[in-house]
């Protein structure tokens, strides 16, 4: 089951975050943002998304 990192907001299927290597993951998130090109996306900038991937907009 995919989960979202509370720090980076990236969504992953792993038990650790692929970006910060943290384990603060939540399966309770809503809204999904797919970042294909983080360097040219204003939303990615807002989320501080530095890598392409799926990001959660809201994590409870
Ligand atoms: Zn993270």
């Amino acid at each position: 089951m995919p989960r979202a990192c509370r720090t980076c907001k990236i969504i992953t299927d792993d038990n650790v975050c692929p970006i910060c290597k943290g384990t603060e993951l939540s399966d309770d998130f809503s809204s999904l943002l797919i970042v294909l090109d983080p360097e040219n996306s204003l939303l990615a900038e807002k989320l501080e998304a530095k890598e392409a991937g799926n990001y959660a907009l809201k994590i409870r």
Side-chain angles (χ1 to χ4, degrees), residues 5-10 16-25:
C5 175
R6 290 184 190 276
T7 307
C8 319
K9 299 188 172 63
I10 195 164
V16 292
C17 170
I19 295 178
C20 70
K21 311 294 179 196
T23 53
E24 288 278 299
L25 305 173

Side-chain angles (χ1 to χ4, degrees), residues 22-42:
T23 53
E24 288 278 299
L25 305 173
S26 170
D27 60 9
D28 195 2
F29 58 88
S30 62
S31 302
L32 180 74
L33 174 70
I34 300 171
V35 175
L36 299 174
D37 188 358
E39 285 176 14
N40 289 299
S41 165
L42 284 176

